[in-house]
Amino acid sequence: MRLSITLALAGALLAVGTAGANDTKSGGSFASPNRFVQDDGEALYKSICQGCHMPDGKGAQGAGAYPALATNPNLEAGAYPVTLVVNGNRAMPGFGGVLDDAQVAAVVNYVRTHFGNSYEDPVQPAEVHDARPAKH
Amino acid sequence: MVEDASRYSRRRLLSMIGATAGASVMYQAASSLGFAAESPYRGPVKLEGSPKGASVLILGAGVAGLAAALELTKAGYKVQVLEYREKPGGRSWTLRGGDRYAELGGATQEVGFDQGQYLNPGPWRIPYHHHAVLDYCHRLGVALEPFTQVNYNALVHARDAFGGKPQRYRTVAADFQGQVAELLAKVTNKGALDGAVTKEDQEILLEALREWGALEKDLSFRPGEACSQRRGYVKDPGGGLSGVPEHSKPVALGDLLKSGLWRSIGIGAGYEFQTTLFQPVGGMDQIPRAMAKALGEGVITYNAKVTAIRQTGGGVTVTWADGAKPGTTRTASADWCLCTIPLSVLSQIDKDVSPAMDAAINAVPYHASVKVGLQFKRRFWEQDEGIYGGISYTDLPITLISYPAFGYGSPGKGVLLGAYSWGPYAYEFTALPPEERVRRAVEFGAEIHPQYKAEFETGVAVGWHRVPWTLGCFGAWTEESRAEHYKNLCAIDGRLLLAGEHASYLPAWQEGAILSALDAVTRLHQRVVSL
């Protein structure tokens, strides 16, 4: 069924993207309206981060900019990207409510070891837990 | 007075206020007591008194900036507007055939819609009580037509309900209401409400439930004329010998509850979605186009990217990059500056503002949202399914399918809103390349309308975090951030003040953007005339 739909549509579209529905490392899993379920850092990057920071991690420039994550020295201390992903920063929304500690650690570790970054000290889920705002 | 007020009924208190203090005081009192919660718009702003030659530089030619420009010009100010885009409107935007849309990251879509077809990627409906937007439409001659929110013959769908088969809004609404009424009638007759409702009122309640739920005389909801008059017939009444109607049968309450489809039948009851809603004929951008036209030539400078906002005692100087001549930087100065730039962008601009306003500008994240417009070779939703306008809701990642509220019965093509999603689904759509967003929207939609497969022609997809002039859909205030920062965001800061949907209690709505602009220019004018 799914295959036949894809084939029927392929000719009508400019190009069929690289993301396949069954590829766990790709985006577009659309598993839940309320949170992300992927546990793989690359899959999470491709489902969330690349919407703004772009597939190559180089960011983008319009009336305002999305900063590049590629070869970004601000990623050296793992706590910094952890805090940004959990709590957001300025216009960037926080994802603490839709990602658990292990997911945040996974996506941060993916970014810190890709796009020209090679920080080999992975952040741990416990560090993510500590970055969450204290419960009242 | 405070102590005494508790002795009066609210209605009696209001009549006293109305008798002694005039209608406007009564209106304010009514609002604070929870009645009459309407838009505060009370007609065009009246900026009386001379601005004494003062000038205002407005940043952004969305509906907030345009409304402010119109009112300040009328009041005698020297007004100039800088706009990042090549045309007015900002998020009030319509995509038509022949348009090219390049999103952040560079992916470019050529919109392939036929003439007369369009997608409103941003605002797309105007509630009847958005008086400010409607007043500008009326004054500027923007033609409106009804936008259909609730269509009883549209569909409600959940993947795990009824084998994935879409149900009619009409039958789900009728069955839910009818069976809730029947249950309540039963417990009433068993005496379960005896403590809460008098015997006399219980009689009235039972009569009301019979009417409200389309119950039979014995207070049951079951196949028959009353029931079919709500949920429809298996065979509609016809004429002559073949016209005998055949009654339909309600879905069992348990199946309905477990389906979750009851979630989709209350949306149109919300204040912002109650009949009547409107849309501009031909696309939402008719509003900013009419506003810009009324402003006249030479007031708005397009392709102007603001890079710095400096306050110098008696005025404001803004530096901007001229997109018409890349590499060229220019400045514009005025006595005052009204900035409507989205906070997602403004937070990145070099500027002189107080620490309190700076903290407010930095306190508002921007929501993800996605819309996908799909053109089909024929209007199968009308021809095959009798769906004329309105919205079908689904738990698929597309969230809804909205049918065009114009061109009914036309033999030609039509464009559906094939996805309108928020939250994680919107992030996931945005993270995909545009053509993949379209492909997915078609694939999901085909689960509701199998005709998609044969009839789909072309589509366009807008993920709002990729929109170059906003970097997001709208400002996401929380109760906490609003309590801490909202007043500081709206305050006049030296020679600068802000407007836009982010400076309103109507986030994302054009009404909020315009009301914030009118509030800002009113306060600015008071300041100017009192100097």
Side-chain angles (χ1 to χ4, degrees):
Chain A
M1 180 72 169
R2 172 159 284 158
L3 182 65
S4 68
I5 295 168
T6 308
L7 290 176
L9 292 170
L13 295 165
L14 294 172
V16 174
T18 53
N22 300 318
D23 179 354
T24 55
K25 296 282 173 129
S26 73
S29 79
F30 295 108
S32 160
N34 303 316
R35 56 179 302 111
F36 296 92
V37 300
Q38 305 88 327
D39 51 14
D40 177 81
E42 181 179 355
L44 286 164
Y45 185 87
K46 289 179 172 173
S47 299
I48 308 172
C49 316
Q50 75 177 19
C52 295
H53 297 283
M54 300 298 151
D56 59 6
K58 289 185 177 167
Q61 178 79 50
Y66 291 125
L69 304 178
T71 56
N72 186 331
N74 290 335
L75 298 172
E76 183 174 355
Y80 180 69
V82 164
T83 298
L84 259 57
V85 171
V86 169
N87 301 310
N89 182 39
R90 298 188 183 180
M92 174 178 165
F95 294 86
V98 290
L99 297 174
D100 64 25
D101 294 347
Q103 288 173 306
V104 173
V107 74
V108 165
N109 288 332
Y110 174 76
V111 172
R112 291 178 77 241
T113 53
H114 290 78
F115 310 118
N117 303 308
S118 51
Y119 302 105
E120 299 298 341
D121 54 329
V123 300
Q124 302 301 323
E127 298 170 64
V128 178
H129 180 80
D130 293 342
R132 291 182 185 273
K135 289 208 175 80
H136 296 291
Chain B
M1 183 66 190
V2 172
E3 297 93 314
D4 289 346
S6 62
R7 291 168 40 217
Y8 295 98
S9 73
R10 288 201 297 182
R11 193 167 296 282
R12 182 156 170 229
L13 182 63
L14 286 177
S15 71
M16 286 173 57
I17 297 169
T20 56
S24 69
V25 173
M26 178 162 166
Y27 176 78
Q28 285 168 11
S31 295
S32 67
L33 293 173
F35 288 127
E38 278 188 22
S39 165
Y41 186 70
R42 286 289 169 273
V45 292
K46 294 184 181 67
L47 305 180
E48 286 163 353
S50 168
K52 301 170 231 172
S55 57
V56 182
L57 176 60
I58 296 172
L59 307 180
V63 293
L66 292 166
L70 284 169
E71 300 307 330
L72 290 170
T73 302
K74 198 161 59 179
Y77 288 83
K78 293 178 218 157
V79 173
Q80 48 179 327
V81 183
L82 296 178
E83 166 55 42
Y84 175 80
R85 299 185 70 196
E86 73 291 356
K87 58 183 173 184
R91 279 165 278 185
S92 184
W93 176 32
T94 301
L95 281 170
R96 300 181 179 81
D99 286 346
R100 275 171 65 91
Y101 166 53
E103 64 179 35
L104 288 171
T108 301
Q109 300 175 77
E110 308 268 358
V111 184
F113 296 158
D114 278 32
Q115 190 164 12
Q117 306 295 334
Y118 65 84
L119 169 73
N120 290 325
W124 57 310
R125 47 192 168 185
I126 306 170
Y128 69 88
H129 51 80
H130 281 191
H131 300 300
V133 176
L134 292 174
D135 195 24
Y136 278 100
C137 289
H138 300 336
R139 280 192 274 156
L140 298 172
V142 176
L144 301 170
E145 61 196 354
F147 172 95
T148 303
Q149 170 73 38
V150 178
N151 177 344
Y152 279 77
N153 203 40
L155 305 170
V156 289
H157 169 259
R159 281 167 286 191
D160 295 337
F162 304 106
K165 187 172 179 291
Q167 307 294 300
R168 296 284 178 181
Y169 179 103
R170 182 184 63 250
T171 62
V172 170
D175 293 355
F176 188 70
Q177 193 166 313
Q179 293 180 84
V180 167
E182 181 184 303
L183 276 179
L184 189 50
K186 274 183 190 158
V187 300
T188 304
N189 276 334
K190 281 183 181 169
L193 301 184
D194 284 355
V197 183
T198 65
K199 274 289 171 196
E200 188 188 358
D201 286 354
Q202 284 185 27
E203 288 307 310
I204 301 170
L205 177 63
L206 290 173
E207 183 53 31
L209 289 171
R210 188 181 286 126
E211 285 190 19
W212 182 68
L215 307 183
E216 295 292 333
K217 286 206 171 60
D218 65 357
L219 297 171
S220 68
F221 184 67
R222 57 182 160 84
E225 189 59 20
C227 174
S228 290
Q229 275 294 317
R230 286 285 168 85
R231 71 188 313 286
Y233 299 77
V234 171
K235 180 169 168 276
D236 277 7
L241 293 175
S242 67
V244 188
E246 192 181 328
H247 291 309
S248 64
K249 186 169 172 264
V251 170
L253 181 61
D255 293 341
L256 205 51
L257 292 174
K258 284 191 274 292
S259 77
L261 293 181
W262 41 267
R263 287 193 184 90
S264 299
I265 59 172
I267 297 164
Y271 183 46
E272 289 169 330
F273 306 113
Q274 288 170 12
T275 303
T276 303
L277 293 110
F278 299 97
Q279 62 184 19
V281 175
M284 189 57 78
D285 69 355
Q286 300 298 338
I287 295 176
R289 282 160 76 160
M291 292 171 112
K293 191 176 167 201
L295 209 48
E297 292 288 314
V299 179
I300 308 173
T301 302
Y302 295 104
N303 301 300
K305 175 180 172 173
V306 171
T307 56
I309 303 170
R310 296 266 85 90
Q311 300 207 42
T312 52
V316 178
T317 297
V318 167
T319 307
W320 55 281
D322 188 350
K325 289 186 180 168
T328 311
T329 298
R330 303 181 191 279
T331 59
S333 297
D335 299 323
W336 301 89
C337 178
L338 177 70
C339 177
T340 70
I341 296 173
L343 303 180
S344 47
V345 176
L346 182 60
S347 60
Q348 302 184 23
I349 291 174
D350 179 21
K351 58 194 172 296
D352 295 335
V353 295
S354 68
M357 180 182 267
D358 198 47
I361 290 168
N362 290 338
V364 184
Y366 270 57
H367 277 295
S369 178
V370 69
K371 272 189 184 171
V372 180
L374 304 173
Q375 178 169 291
F376 294 90
K377 291 174 207 158
R378 65 182 184 93
R379 300 166 74 104
F380 59 81
W381 51 94
E382 297 178 355
Q383 294 159 7
D384 303 354
E385 299 174 69
I387 298 173
Y388 295 90
I391 301 174
S392 290
Y393 286 95
T394 173
D395 69 350
L396 288 163
I398 56 176
T399 307
L400 58 76
I401 295 171
S402 178
Y403 311 92
F406 66 97
Y408 299 120
S410 137
K413 298 171 183 179
V415 168
L416 300 181
L417 176 61
Y420 183 26
S421 304
W422 301 89
Y425 286 156
Y427 284 106
E428 291 188 79
F429 266 117
T430 304
L432 296 171
E435 64 274 12
E436 180 69 9
R437 293 175 209 147
V438 171
R439 191 185 74 75
R440 293 296 187 93
V442 172
E443 188 177 304
F444 289 130
E447 293 187 35
I448 297 170
H449 294 294
Q451 301 97 319
Y452 265 45
K453 288 178 260 182
E455 309 294 350
F456 172 69
E457 238 179 25
T458 183
V460 62
V462 174
W464 275 93
H465 270 127
R466 290 266 180 105
V467 174
W469 56 96
T470 62
L471 283 72
C473 186
F474 71 93
W477 288 102
T478 63
E479 258 182 66
E480 294 75 22
S481 63
R482 201 182 273 280
E484 190 176 349
H485 296 293
Y486 182 77
K487 279 184 183 167
N488 296 334
L489 188 86
C490 296
I492 299 179
D493 191 303
R495 292 280 173 152
L496 174 75
L497 71 171
L498 310 187
E501 59 82 20
H502 49 273
S504 82
Y505 285 88
L506 287 158
W509 290 97
Q510 293 178 106
E511 182 77 359
I514 291 180
L515 290 178
S516 84
L518 299 182
D519 180 82
V521 299
T522 302
R523 285 184 289 124
L524 174 62
H525 185 66
Q526 283 164 358
R527 179 74 64 91
V528 169
V529 295
S530 68
L531 281 178

